Amino acid sequence: MRHFGHISPTVRKDLFHQEPAEFTGASPARVLAAALGATLYSPATRPALAADIRKQAGRGVVSMVLCLEDSISDADVSGAEENLVRQFTELDADEAELPLLFIRVRTPEQIPDLVRRLGGSVRRLAGFVLPKFDESRGIAFLEAVASAEAASGLPRLYAMPVLETPDLLHLETRVETLAGISRTVNSHRERVLALRLGVTDFCSAYGLRRTPDMTAYDVQIVAGVIADVVNVLSRADGTGFTVTGPVWEYFRSQQRLFKPQLRRSPFLEEGVEELRTALIEHDLDGLLREIELDRANGLLGKTCIHPAHVTPVHALSVVSHEEFCDAQDILRPERGGGGVMRSTYTNKMNEVKPHRAWAERTMLRAEVFGVAKEEVGFVDLLTAGLQV
């Protein structure tokens, strides 16, 4: 797999100063965590799930979650499990390149049971998404993943806990809840690929729902939780985990209350004003703003519930030529002792020691998402991805 692998090599050559690297399910965990990108969720009840997965792979999706939890009714769980087994058997019948596939379960007991029922087709499974994760539930979940991994014969089954419980949201219990989550995930560090945020559940605890004109960061009670999760669980000192961005719920046009947030200036070239209009009509201008705020707040990747969200997430994950030049300058071996310098683009200060962690994260993102050419912007990347 590789990001933007669904577009032609010729187009990639025109877009990228450094093309995205290839990766597989056997790549190092740090690479896979950074490469998750837009993780597309799909209910496990879909009758043509195998065909859907192949189609989305052809559109640039590199990670998917097949959901047995909140996206389906309680009465449908048994049928959804049976459907998953059938669909994995179908996927295993050919050697098509597939996204990283995760199953979102409800209980720890489902994990070894599903691995047993999948049989040989379990080789197509990357791991499990663990809902309502806290210390009390998390230990059982992670032990179930470890047990299932041993029984499967696979070198690794990953876990992606979802942080979404009321105790994490409520101020009086947040500190201890975060401490408990930290203890739990650190006890299985080699297995935890990334942490996901259940912002819909956060909002639910207070009867809130953000509109398409607002990002998660405009809902202050949610923004506070995100900040605290990053503070405790995503530090850049080697102890942190990748934390992914929250879901964007909107994909249909609705009446607007506020002025569109998508600037005109990147769209002034001939032909791309139509793209700006299309993005606004589909409420994706808010999504683009939230993606930028995700990265500014230490998050990487995003939960997605609609294929239309995938390309914008990936286009805005590509490292710009300016970012790449800054990161390269900061990480030059001869500057290991520190110091300050004017940037290659002569528009900012690069201070070696304070900016080093940012530069290292930027170079990892450059490895998996690539580096755009100097004259290439996100509109070009969006256009190329959407035209496939």
Side-chain angles (χ1 to χ4, degrees), residues 52-349:
D52 292 341
I53 291 168
R54 293 191 188 99
K55 179 171 70 175
Q56 296 308 327
R59 293 178 174 178
V61 173
V62 303
S63 63
M64 290 186 69
V65 173
L66 315 176
C67 186
L68 293 168
E69 209 227 359
D70 285 348
S71 70
I72 65 174
S73 72
D74 298 345
D76 289 337
V77 174
S78 179
E81 290 177 345
E82 293 174 3
N83 186 54
L84 274 182
V85 173
R86 286 195 301 271
Q87 302 296 334
F88 267 82
T89 300
E90 181 179 336
L91 290 170
D92 200 41
D94 60 49
E95 294 299 321
E97 185 174 89
L98 300 177
L100 298 169
L101 299 178
F102 300 85
I103 298 175
R104 185 183 188 185
V105 293
R106 294 184 173 214
T107 67
E109 293 75 23
Q110 285 177 297
I111 293 171
D113 180 59
L114 283 168
V115 167
R116 177 186 58 80
R117 292 162 67 181
L118 286 172
S121 66
V122 75
R123 71 187 183 96
R124 296 293 198 172
L125 182 65
F128 292 91
V129 173
L130 314 178
K132 314 293 189 292
F133 192 94
D134 58 19
E135 186 172 25
S136 61
R137 286 168 55 88
I139 293 171
F141 269 123
L142 289 169
E143 288 178 350
V145 176
S147 175
E149 177 188 289
S152 72
L154 295 174
R156 178 68 68 218
L157 280 173
Y158 286 109
M160 291 200 291
V162 185
L163 311 185
E164 55 188 344
T165 60
D167 283 350
L168 180 58
L169 186 64
H170 296 158
L171 187 61
E172 67 272 19
T173 53
R174 187 180 305 170
V175 171
E176 180 52 36
T177 300
L178 278 169
I181 291 170
S182 179
R183 287 190 294 267
T184 306
V185 294
N186 274 296
S187 69
H188 289 263
R189 172 168 285 275
E190 77 287 351
R191 183 162 287 107
V192 176
L193 186 61
L195 305 176
R196 312 199 73 88
L197 291 168
V199 164
T200 301
D201 282 49
F202 290 161
C203 290
S204 173
Y206 288 88
L208 305 175
R209 186 174 191 180
R210 68 190 192 273
T211 70
D213 301 296
M214 295 182 180
T215 71
Y217 303 93
D218 294 313
V219 183
Q220 291 300 301
I221 196 165
V222 170
V225 181
I226 294 174
D228 288 343
V229 168
V230 172
N231 188 326
V232 175
L233 296 168
S234 192
R235 297 174 185 176
D237 59 2
T239 67
F241 295 84
T242 294
V243 179
T244 64
V247 67
W248 182 258
E249 298 179 347
Y250 295 96
F251 51 88
R252 290 184 182 275
S253 179
Q254 299 184 23
Q255 184 177 0
R256 286 183 167 273
L257 295 177
F258 302 115
K259 182 179 179 180
Q261 303 170 72
L262 198 58
R263 292 186 300 118
R264 292 182 61 91
S265 55
F267 296 86
L268 293 180
E269 294 181 21
E270 183 178 357
V272 296
E273 174 66 19
E274 294 177 3
L275 175 59
R276 176 182 183 273
T277 302
L279 291 171
I280 290 171
E281 287 176 351
H282 290 280
D283 290 315
L284 295 186
D285 55 325
L287 168 64
L288 298 181
R289 182 167 172 260
E290 186 166 284
I291 296 166
E292 290 287 350
L293 288 169
D294 285 341
R295 193 161 74 244
N297 284 278
L299 310 184
L300 182 60
K302 200 161 188 66
T303 294
C304 293
I305 46 82
H306 195 278
H309 301 166
V310 172
T311 299
V313 172
H314 292 170
L316 284 174
S317 298
V318 174
V319 173
S320 71
H321 188 263
E322 180 175 348
E323 289 176 305
F324 182 68
C325 289
D326 288 339
Q328 272 193 321
D329 287 346
I330 291 164
L331 295 175
R332 292 189 190 281
E334 65 270 22
R335 294 191 172 126
V340 64
M341 74 207 82
R342 185 173 61 175
S343 70
T344 300
Y345 275 65
T346 68
N347 61 357
K348 71 178 76 64
M349 173 193 75

